[in-house]
């Protein structure tokens, strides 16, 4: 028999007592402090709906304090660290994350709702990113020009911006913080990080580690809401670069704010990614990839493969197997080992997803599975949405064009490759895509035809450190998780010396 709502609640209370950090202030200049306003907000456990902790609601004054602390660190002890010092420090951060991997994973599952199997994966990849970018501290070799008309020496150096502002979303709270912090620190910048208000806890736990390892002020964390804490960071005159991960509409506001003072900006934004199934697909393997594509992290993935284009010849077989796999996913308590679908991050996100589902129903879509509210009494109080697969939508409809950010897959059958590819590319987004085919030439041709920053072939959701990740079109500007990311956190200076 499964857990009851009461036993789930008890387990979550006990786990929270063990892993929610005791110190939960804004992290500024190496100390946890209250918001200047004294205000706080609640962060809730989406499995039970209970409050996990009260966290300071930072505002413009706090952002200003944090930027000053970062500037002082950059001008002081942090700015004096050489490449090898930064390399050692980044490895130490990775060691400390790994040493506390269980606490991080439990905290992430409590605050976000993701199953612990996925949280442990996030923690491992987060630590690995600090190690990967530790190596990147040594990569700056610059260029020198061959001598030309007369004695002179021309060379380049890469210089950090100084203070970088970073803003992260709630779907991979620790991992997105690691993707941002590691390359910025590797390049020698000081940082002010604003985590998402829905899931601030793992960033604050990480702040405790960063405070032990790095000089005071090298990383500062200002928790709070987008308008109050995020916007002032994007507008601050002493922030030389803004790196943002989140939705495309907010990304546009961030870019406008940065444009006011011509600050550098990188944007990792939303997606509505196609997954193309060719007639020669290996159905078993392909269904595994399709399940990962749309149901991993309960569909709360920027990369979610949410539009499935399946060839007529294999459509019935593929969809039958996919529906069976979707219905076989265990939905429930994210702290249970066999859970594959946890709750969404909040009741608001459930409402948002279900309003798209209702729109699909009104548009006359056929539901192959899901589409109804979850009414299991054992999951009462939690923000659950059942895996949902729909067919028959007009590709121009809002339901198809917009990012749903939930476990909802929209299916289209095809038999004409060019028509299918036109539709696959007919969205504003271009973050990721997948191709399922046995013939490698077919798969490669499709991968080349899709307008997206990452295309997975016969797999999905793989993010090895070193593989550049970022969007085409309205999915973003810049690449993360690769050595080139360090360049996004530096400026090139040319030095031209006369030797006459
Ligand atoms: P969101 O855009 O609502 O919020 C993201 C962050 O921006 C939060 O910290 C929020 O507080 C802050 N924010 C909100 N308004 C702001 C403003 N006016 N100025 C500055 N900051 C502001 O996104 P979300 O709902 O937290 O996350 C989901 C979105 O993130 C999805 O669109 C998803 O596709 C995207 N995402 C993209 C990637 C990627 O790498 N491309 C990765 C993860 C998530």
């Amino acid at each position: 028999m499964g857990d009851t709502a009461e036993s789930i609640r008890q387990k979550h209370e006990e786990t929270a007592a063990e892993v929610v950090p005791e110190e939960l202030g804004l992290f500024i200049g190496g100390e946890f402090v209250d918001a200047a306003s004294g205000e706080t907000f609640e962060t809730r456990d989406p499995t039970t709906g209970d409050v996990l902790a009260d966290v300071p609601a930072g505002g413009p004054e706090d952002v200003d304090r944090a930027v000053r602390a970062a500037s002082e660190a950059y001008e002081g002890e942090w700015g004096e660290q050489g490449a090898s010092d930064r390399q050692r420090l980044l490895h130490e951060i990775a060691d400390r994350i790994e040493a506390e991997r269980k606490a991080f994973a439990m905290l992430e599952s409590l605050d976000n709702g993701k199953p612990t199997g996925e949280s442990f994966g996030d923690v491992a990849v987060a630590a690995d990113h600090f190690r990967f970018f530790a190596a990147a501290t040594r990569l700056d070799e610059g260029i020198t020009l061959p001598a030309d008309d007369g004695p002179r020496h021309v060379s380049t150096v890469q210089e950090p911006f100084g203070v970088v502002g970073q803003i992260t979303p709630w779907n991979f709270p620790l991992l997105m913080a690691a993707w941002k912090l590691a390359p910025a620190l590797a390049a020698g910048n000081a940082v002010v990080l604003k985590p998402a208000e829905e899931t601030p806890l793992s960033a604050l736990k990480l702040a405790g580690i960063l405070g032990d390892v790095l000089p005071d002020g090298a990383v500062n964390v200002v928790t709070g809401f987008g308008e109050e804490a995020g916007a002032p960071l994007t507008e601050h005159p002493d922030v030389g670069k803004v790196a943002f991960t989140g939705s495309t509409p907010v990304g546009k506001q961030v870019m406008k704010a940065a444009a006011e003072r011509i600050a550098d900006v990188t944007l990792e934004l939303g997606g509505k990614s196609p997954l193309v199934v060719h007639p020669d697909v290996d159905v078993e393997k392909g269904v595994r990839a399709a399940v990962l594509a749309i149901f991993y992290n309960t569909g709360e993935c920027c990369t979610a493969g949410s539009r499935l284009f399946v060839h007529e010849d294999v459509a019935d077989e593929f969809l039958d197997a996919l529906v069976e796999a979707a219905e076989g996913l265990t939905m429930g308590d994210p702290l249970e080992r066999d859970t594959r679908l946890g709750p969404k991050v909040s009741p608001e996100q459930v409402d948002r997803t279900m309003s798209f589902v209702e729109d699909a129903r009104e548009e006359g879509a056929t539901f192959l599975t899901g589409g109804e509210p979850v009414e299991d009494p054992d999951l009462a109080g939690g923000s659950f949405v059942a895996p949902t697969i729909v067919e028959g939508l007009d590709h121009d409809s809002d339901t198809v064009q917009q990012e749903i950010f939930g476990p909802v897959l929209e299916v289209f059958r095809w038999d004409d490759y060019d028509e299918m590819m036109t539709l696959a590319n007919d969205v504003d987004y271009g973050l990721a895509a997948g191709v399922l085919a046995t013939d490698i030439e077919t798969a490669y041709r499709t991968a080349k035809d899709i307008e997206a920053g990452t295309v997975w072939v016969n797999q999905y959701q793989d993010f090895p450190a070193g593989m550049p990740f970022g969007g085409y079109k309205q999915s973003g500007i810049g690449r993360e998780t690769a050595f080139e990311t360090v360049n996004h956190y530096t400026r090139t200076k040319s030095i031209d010396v006369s030797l006459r």
Side-chain angles (χ1 to χ4, degrees), residues 167-172 176 179 194-198 224-227 230-231 234 244-248 250-251 253-254 268-271 301-303 349 403 405 431 469 475 480:
I167 299 173
T168 48
W170 47 260
N171 59 341
F172 291 88
M176 291 300 107
W179 277 20
K194 207 298 278 176
E197 52 271 39
E198 292 86 350
F225 294 93
E227 289 296 330
T234 66
F244 172 82
T245 298
S247 62
T248 295
V250 177
Q253 292 179 42
V254 169
E268 299 290 343
L269 307 176
C301 290
C302 50
T303 48
Q349 285 295 323
E403 183 181 38
F405 222 55
L431 188 61
F469 177 72
S475 288
E480 289 197 309

Short mmCIF file of all heavy atoms in Angstrom, two decimals, residues 167-172 176 179 194-198 224-227 230-231 234 244-248 250-251 253-254 268-271 301-303 349 403 405 431 469 475 480, ligand 1:
data_model
loop_
_atom_site.label_atom_id
_atom_site.label_comp_id
_atom_site.label_asym_id
_atom_site.label_seq_id
_atom_site.Cartn_x
_atom_site.Cartn_y
_atom_site.Cartn_z
N ILE A 167 20.59 35.76 -12.52
CA ILE A 167 19.20 35.51 -12.10
C ILE A 167 18.79 34.12 -12.59
O ILE A 167 19.00 33.80 -13.76
CB ILE A 167 18.26 36.60 -12.70
CG1 ILE A 167 18.69 37.97 -12.17
CG2 ILE A 167 16.81 36.31 -12.36
CD1 ILE A 167 17.95 39.15 -12.80
N THR A 168 18.24 33.31 -11.69
CA THR A 168 17.98 31.90 -12.04
C THR A 168 16.50 31.53 -11.82
O THR A 168 15.81 32.17 -11.03
CB THR A 168 18.88 30.96 -11.22
OG1 THR A 168 18.81 31.35 -9.84
CG2 THR A 168 20.32 31.03 -11.69
N PRO A 169 16.04 30.47 -12.49
CA PRO A 169 14.64 30.02 -12.38
C PRO A 169 14.49 28.93 -11.32
O PRO A 169 15.47 28.53 -10.69
CB PRO A 169 14.38 29.47 -13.77
CG PRO A 169 15.69 28.85 -14.15
CD PRO A 169 16.76 29.68 -13.51
N TRP A 170 13.25 28.41 -11.20
CA TRP A 170 12.97 27.47 -10.12
C TRP A 170 13.03 26.00 -10.55
O TRP A 170 12.88 25.11 -9.73
CB TRP A 170 11.59 27.76 -9.51
CG TRP A 170 10.49 27.95 -10.53
CD1 TRP A 170 9.99 29.14 -10.95
CD2 TRP A 170 9.78 26.94 -11.27
NE1 TRP A 170 9.01 28.94 -11.91
CE2 TRP A 170 8.86 27.60 -12.12
CE3 TRP A 170 9.83 25.54 -11.29
CZ2 TRP A 170 8.01 26.91 -12.98
CZ3 TRP A 170 8.99 24.86 -12.14
CH2 TRP A 170 8.09 25.54 -12.97
N ASN A 171 13.22 25.72 -11.83
CA ASN A 171 13.06 24.32 -12.25
C ASN A 171 14.28 23.44 -11.95
O ASN A 171 14.15 22.25 -11.70
CB ASN A 171 12.65 24.22 -13.72
CG ASN A 171 13.63 24.85 -14.66
OD1 ASN A 171 14.45 25.67 -14.27
ND2 ASN A 171 13.56 24.47 -15.93
N PHE A 172 15.49 24.05 -11.98
CA PHE A 172 16.71 23.34 -11.57
C PHE A 172 17.50 24.30 -10.67
O PHE A 172 18.53 24.84 -11.09
CB PHE A 172 17.56 22.94 -12.79
CG PHE A 172 16.94 21.87 -13.64
CD1 PHE A 172 16.06 22.18 -14.66
CD2 PHE A 172 17.22 20.52 -13.40
CE1 PHE A 172 15.47 21.19 -15.44
CE2 PHE A 172 16.64 19.52 -14.17
CZ PHE A 172 15.76 19.86 -15.20
N MET A 176 21.12 25.37 -11.98
CA MET A 176 21.21 26.65 -12.72
C MET A 176 22.16 27.61 -12.00
O MET A 176 22.88 28.38 -12.65
CB MET A 176 19.82 27.30 -12.85
CG MET A 176 18.87 26.55 -13.76
SD MET A 176 19.47 26.39 -15.46
CE MET A 176 19.91 24.66 -15.50
N TRP A 179 25.62 26.36 -13.00
CA TRP A 179 25.91 26.70 -14.40
C TRP A 179 26.34 28.17 -14.52
O TRP A 179 27.13 28.52 -15.38
CB TRP A 179 24.66 26.50 -15.27
CG TRP A 179 24.42 25.10 -15.71
CD1 TRP A 179 24.92 23.95 -15.17
CD2 TRP A 179 23.57 24.69 -16.80
NE1 TRP A 179 24.44 22.87 -15.85
CE2 TRP A 179 23.62 23.29 -16.85
CE3 TRP A 179 22.78 25.38 -17.71
CZ2 TRP A 179 22.91 22.55 -17.81
CZ3 TRP A 179 22.07 24.65 -18.65
CH2 TRP A 179 22.14 23.24 -18.70
N LYS A 194 20.52 36.18 -7.85
CA LYS A 194 19.13 36.28 -7.38
C LYS A 194 18.41 35.00 -7.78
O LYS A 194 18.04 34.81 -8.93
CB LYS A 194 18.47 37.49 -8.07
CG LYS A 194 17.33 38.14 -7.30
CD LYS A 194 16.14 37.27 -7.03
CE LYS A 194 15.17 37.18 -8.19
NZ LYS A 194 14.06 36.22 -7.90
N PRO A 195 18.23 34.06 -6.82
CA PRO A 195 17.52 32.81 -7.15
C PRO A 195 16.02 33.04 -7.25
O PRO A 195 15.51 34.05 -6.76
CB PRO A 195 17.86 31.89 -5.97
CG PRO A 195 18.25 32.79 -4.85
CD PRO A 195 18.66 34.12 -5.41
N ALA A 196 15.33 32.08 -7.86
CA ALA A 196 13.86 32.19 -8.00
C ALA A 196 13.19 32.17 -6.63
O ALA A 196 13.61 31.43 -5.73
CB ALA A 196 13.34 31.06 -8.86
N GLU A 197 12.13 32.95 -6.50
CA GLU A 197 11.44 33.06 -5.22
C GLU A 197 10.75 31.75 -4.81
O GLU A 197 10.53 31.50 -3.63
CB GLU A 197 10.42 34.21 -5.25
CG GLU A 197 9.42 34.20 -6.41
CD GLU A 197 9.94 34.96 -7.63
OE1 GLU A 197 11.15 34.86 -7.92
OE2 GLU A 197 9.13 35.63 -8.30
N GLU A 198 10.42 30.90 -5.80
CA GLU A 198 9.73 29.64 -5.48
C GLU A 198 10.68 28.64 -4.79
O GLU A 198 10.23 27.78 -4.04
CB GLU A 198 9.19 28.98 -6.75
CG GLU A 198 8.06 29.72 -7.43
CD GLU A 198 8.55 30.80 -8.40
OE1 GLU A 198 9.77 31.09 -8.40
OE2 GLU A 198 7.72 31.35 -9.14
N GLY A 224 14.42 37.00 -3.17
CA GLY A 224 13.33 37.96 -3.29
C GLY A 224 12.60 37.78 -4.61
O GLY A 224 12.91 36.87 -5.39
N PHE A 225 11.65 38.67 -4.86
CA PHE A 225 10.80 38.57 -6.05
C PHE A 225 11.44 39.26 -7.25
O PHE A 225 12.36 40.08 -7.11
CB PHE A 225 9.42 39.16 -5.74
CG PHE A 225 8.68 38.36 -4.71
CD1 PHE A 225 8.76 38.69 -3.37
CD2 PHE A 225 7.94 37.26 -5.09
CE1 PHE A 225 8.10 37.93 -2.41
CE2 PHE A 225 7.28 36.49 -4.14
CZ PHE A 225 7.36 36.83 -2.80
N GLY A 226 10.91 38.92 -8.43
CA GLY A 226 11.50 39.43 -9.67
C GLY A 226 11.51 40.95 -9.75
O GLY A 226 12.54 41.56 -10.01
N GLU A 227 10.35 41.56 -9.51
CA GLU A 227 10.27 43.02 -9.66
C GLU A 227 11.12 43.74 -8.63
O GLU A 227 11.76 44.75 -8.92
CB GLU A 227 8.80 43.49 -9.51
CG GLU A 227 7.90 43.10 -10.66
CD GLU A 227 8.31 43.76 -11.97
OE1 GLU A 227 8.86 44.87 -11.93
OE2 GLU A 227 8.11 43.14 -13.04
N GLY A 230 15.04 41.24 -8.62
CA GLY A 230 15.65 40.90 -9.92
C GLY A 230 15.86 42.15 -10.77
O GLY A 230 16.97 42.42 -11.25
N ALA A 231 14.79 42.94 -10.92
CA ALA A 231 14.88 44.11 -11.80
C ALA A 231 15.98 45.09 -11.36
O ALA A 231 16.78 45.53 -12.21
CB ALA A 231 13.51 44.80 -11.89
N THR A 234 19.28 44.04 -12.64
CA THR A 234 19.50 44.24 -14.08
C THR A 234 19.75 45.72 -14.41
O THR A 234 20.29 46.04 -15.46
CB THR A 234 18.29 43.75 -14.92
OG1 THR A 234 17.16 44.58 -14.62
CG2 THR A 234 17.96 42.31 -14.64
N PHE A 244 20.99 35.76 -17.37
CA PHE A 244 19.63 35.46 -16.94
C PHE A 244 19.19 34.11 -17.48
O PHE A 244 19.39 33.82 -18.67
CB PHE A 244 18.68 36.55 -17.47
CG PHE A 244 17.22 36.25 -17.25
CD1 PHE A 244 16.62 36.50 -16.03
CD2 PHE A 244 16.44 35.70 -18.27
CE1 PHE A 244 15.27 36.22 -15.82
CE2 PHE A 244 15.10 35.41 -18.07
CZ PHE A 244 14.51 35.68 -16.84
N THR A 245 18.57 33.29 -16.66
CA THR A 245 17.86 32.11 -17.13
C THR A 245 16.43 32.19 -16.64
O THR A 245 16.20 32.36 -15.44
CB THR A 245 18.51 30.80 -16.62
OG1 THR A 245 19.83 30.73 -17.13
CG2 THR A 245 17.74 29.58 -17.10
N GLY A 246 15.48 32.09 -17.56
CA GLY A 246 14.08 32.15 -17.18
C GLY A 246 13.22 32.23 -18.43
O GLY A 246 13.64 31.80 -19.52
N SER A 247 12.05 32.79 -18.28
CA SER A 247 11.11 32.81 -19.40
C SER A 247 11.49 33.87 -20.44
O SER A 247 12.15 34.86 -20.11
CB SER A 247 9.70 33.10 -18.87
OG SER A 247 9.69 34.37 -18.27
N THR A 248 11.02 33.68 -21.65
CA THR A 248 11.33 34.63 -22.72
C THR A 248 10.74 36.03 -22.44
O THR A 248 11.45 37.03 -22.63
CB THR A 248 10.87 34.06 -24.08
OG1 THR A 248 11.67 32.89 -24.33
CG2 THR A 248 11.06 35.05 -25.22
N VAL A 250 10.26 37.60 -19.60
CA VAL A 250 11.11 38.30 -18.62
C VAL A 250 12.50 38.55 -19.21
O VAL A 250 13.10 39.60 -18.99
CB VAL A 250 11.19 37.52 -17.28
CG1 VAL A 250 12.13 38.23 -16.31
CG2 VAL A 250 9.81 37.39 -16.65
N GLY A 251 12.99 37.61 -20.02
CA GLY A 251 14.29 37.80 -20.68
C GLY A 251 14.30 39.08 -21.52
O GLY A 251 15.31 39.79 -21.56
N GLN A 253 12.59 41.79 -20.89
CA GLN A 253 12.71 42.94 -19.95
C GLN A 253 14.14 43.09 -19.46
O GLN A 253 14.65 44.20 -19.32
CB GLN A 253 11.81 42.70 -18.74
CG GLN A 253 10.34 42.76 -19.04
CD GLN A 253 9.52 42.48 -17.76
OE1 GLN A 253 9.84 42.96 -16.69
NE2 GLN A 253 8.49 41.68 -17.90
N VAL A 254 14.79 41.96 -19.21
CA VAL A 254 16.18 41.99 -18.73
C VAL A 254 17.08 42.63 -19.80
O VAL A 254 17.92 43.48 -19.51
CB VAL A 254 16.66 40.55 -18.40
CG1 VAL A 254 18.17 40.50 -18.17
CG2 VAL A 254 15.90 40.02 -17.18
N GLU A 268 19.28 32.71 -21.27
CA GLU A 268 18.89 31.30 -21.49
C GLU A 268 17.40 31.24 -21.23
O GLU A 268 16.97 31.33 -20.09
CB GLU A 268 19.65 30.38 -20.51
CG GLU A 268 21.16 30.42 -20.64
CD GLU A 268 21.66 29.79 -21.93
OE1 GLU A 268 20.91 29.04 -22.58
OE2 GLU A 268 22.82 30.06 -22.28
N LEU A 269 16.60 31.08 -22.29
CA LEU A 269 15.15 31.32 -22.15
C LEU A 269 14.32 30.07 -22.42
O LEU A 269 14.82 28.96 -22.31
CB LEU A 269 14.77 32.47 -23.08
CG LEU A 269 15.62 33.74 -22.87
CD1 LEU A 269 15.26 34.82 -23.88
CD2 LEU A 269 15.51 34.27 -21.46
N GLY A 270 13.08 30.26 -22.77
CA GLY A 270 12.14 29.15 -22.88
C GLY A 270 12.29 28.33 -24.15
O GLY A 270 13.13 28.61 -25.00
N GLY A 271 11.44 27.31 -24.27
CA GLY A 271 11.49 26.44 -25.45
C GLY A 271 10.16 25.80 -25.73
O GLY A 271 9.24 25.83 -24.90
N CYS A 301 10.99 21.57 -17.83
CA CYS A 301 12.32 21.66 -18.43
C CYS A 301 12.23 22.65 -19.59
O CYS A 301 11.33 22.54 -20.43
CB CYS A 301 12.75 20.32 -19.03
SG CYS A 301 13.11 19.06 -17.82
N CYS A 302 13.21 23.57 -19.65
CA CYS A 302 13.24 24.49 -20.79
C CYS A 302 13.36 23.70 -22.09
O CYS A 302 12.89 24.12 -23.14
CB CYS A 302 14.41 25.45 -20.64
SG CYS A 302 15.96 24.63 -20.28
N THR A 303 14.01 22.53 -22.01
CA THR A 303 14.26 21.72 -23.20
C THR A 303 13.13 20.75 -23.52
O THR A 303 13.23 19.99 -24.49
CB THR A 303 15.52 20.87 -22.97
OG1 THR A 303 15.39 20.24 -21.69
CG2 THR A 303 16.78 21.70 -23.02
N GLN A 349 1.41 27.02 -10.78
CA GLN A 349 1.91 26.34 -11.98
C GLN A 349 0.94 25.22 -12.41
O GLN A 349 0.83 24.93 -13.60
CB GLN A 349 3.32 25.79 -11.75
CG GLN A 349 4.39 26.87 -11.76
CD GLN A 349 4.53 27.55 -13.13
OE1 GLN A 349 4.41 26.93 -14.17
NE2 GLN A 349 4.77 28.85 -13.11
N GLU A 403 4.90 27.93 -24.47
CA GLU A 403 5.56 26.96 -23.59
C GLU A 403 4.61 26.64 -22.43
O GLU A 403 4.23 27.53 -21.67
CB GLU A 403 6.84 27.61 -23.06
CG GLU A 403 7.67 26.71 -22.19
CD GLU A 403 8.93 27.41 -21.67
OE1 GLU A 403 8.85 28.61 -21.34
OE2 GLU A 403 9.97 26.76 -21.60
N PHE A 405 5.24 24.17 -20.01
CA PHE A 405 6.11 23.93 -18.87
C PHE A 405 5.48 22.95 -17.87
O PHE A 405 5.53 23.13 -16.66
CB PHE A 405 6.45 25.26 -18.17
CG PHE A 405 7.89 25.34 -17.76
CD1 PHE A 405 8.90 25.16 -18.67
CD2 PHE A 405 8.24 25.58 -16.43
CE1 PHE A 405 10.23 25.21 -18.30
CE2 PHE A 405 9.57 25.65 -16.05
CZ PHE A 405 10.56 25.47 -16.99
N LEU A 431 15.28 26.21 -28.73
CA LEU A 431 16.26 25.82 -27.70
C LEU A 431 16.84 24.44 -27.96
O LEU A 431 18.06 24.26 -27.98
CB LEU A 431 15.59 25.85 -26.32
CG LEU A 431 16.56 25.65 -25.15
CD1 LEU A 431 17.61 26.76 -25.13
CD2 LEU A 431 15.82 25.62 -23.82
N PHE A 469 25.43 24.81 -24.54
CA PHE A 469 23.99 24.75 -24.43
C PHE A 469 23.40 26.16 -24.47
O PHE A 469 23.81 27.03 -23.70
CB PHE A 469 23.58 24.07 -23.12
CG PHE A 469 22.08 24.05 -22.93
CD1 PHE A 469 21.30 23.22 -23.70
CD2 PHE A 469 21.48 24.90 -22.02
CE1 PHE A 469 19.92 23.23 -23.57
CE2 PHE A 469 20.10 24.91 -21.88
CZ PHE A 469 19.32 24.08 -22.65
N SER A 475 14.90 31.73 -27.91
CA SER A 475 15.31 30.91 -26.76
C SER A 475 16.60 31.41 -26.13
O SER A 475 17.06 30.82 -25.14
CB SER A 475 15.45 29.45 -27.17
OG SER A 475 14.18 28.88 -27.40
N GLU A 480 25.93 28.15 -22.47
CA GLU A 480 26.42 27.77 -21.15
C GLU A 480 27.05 26.38 -21.23
O GLU A 480 26.99 25.71 -22.27
CB GLU A 480 25.26 27.78 -20.14
CG GLU A 480 24.81 29.20 -19.84
CD GLU A 480 23.96 29.34 -18.59
OE1 GLU A 480 22.98 28.60 -18.45
OE2 GLU A 480 24.28 30.23 -17.76
P1 LIG B 1 10.67 33.58 -14.87
O1 LIG B 1 11.13 34.29 -16.09
O2 LIG B 1 9.32 33.86 -14.35
O3 LIG B 1 11.66 33.91 -13.66
C1 LIG B 1 13.03 33.63 -13.74
C2 LIG B 1 13.76 34.52 -12.74
O4 LIG B 1 13.60 35.88 -13.12
C3 LIG B 1 13.25 34.42 -11.31
O5 LIG B 1 14.35 34.49 -10.43
C4 LIG B 1 12.39 35.67 -11.17
O6 LIG B 1 12.28 36.15 -9.85
C5 LIG B 1 13.17 36.65 -12.02
N1 LIG B 1 12.40 37.80 -12.53
C6 LIG B 1 11.06 37.88 -12.73
N2 LIG B 1 10.74 39.11 -13.19
C7 LIG B 1 11.90 39.80 -13.31
C8 LIG B 1 12.23 41.11 -13.76
N3 LIG B 1 11.31 41.96 -14.18
N4 LIG B 1 13.53 41.46 -13.78
C9 LIG B 1 14.49 40.61 -13.38
N5 LIG B 1 14.24 39.35 -12.92
C10 LIG B 1 12.96 38.96 -12.90
O7 LIG B 1 10.91 32.05 -15.15
P2 LIG B 1 10.58 30.82 -14.19
O8 LIG B 1 9.11 30.62 -14.20
O9 LIG B 1 11.29 30.94 -12.88
O10 LIG B 1 11.32 29.62 -14.97
C11 LIG B 1 10.76 28.97 -16.03
C12 LIG B 1 11.31 29.52 -17.34
O11 LIG B 1 12.72 29.40 -17.38
C13 LIG B 1 10.80 28.73 -18.52
O12 LIG B 1 10.47 29.62 -19.56
C14 LIG B 1 12.02 27.88 -18.91
O13 LIG B 1 12.01 27.45 -20.24
C15 LIG B 1 13.13 28.81 -18.60
N6 LIG B 1 14.41 28.08 -18.43
C16 LIG B 1 15.37 28.19 -19.40
C17 LIG B 1 16.57 27.48 -19.28
C18 LIG B 1 17.63 27.58 -20.33
O14 LIG B 1 18.77 27.21 -20.04
N7 LIG B 1 17.33 28.05 -21.53
C19 LIG B 1 16.79 26.69 -18.16
C20 LIG B 1 15.80 26.60 -17.19
C21 LIG B 1 14.61 27.31 -17.34
#
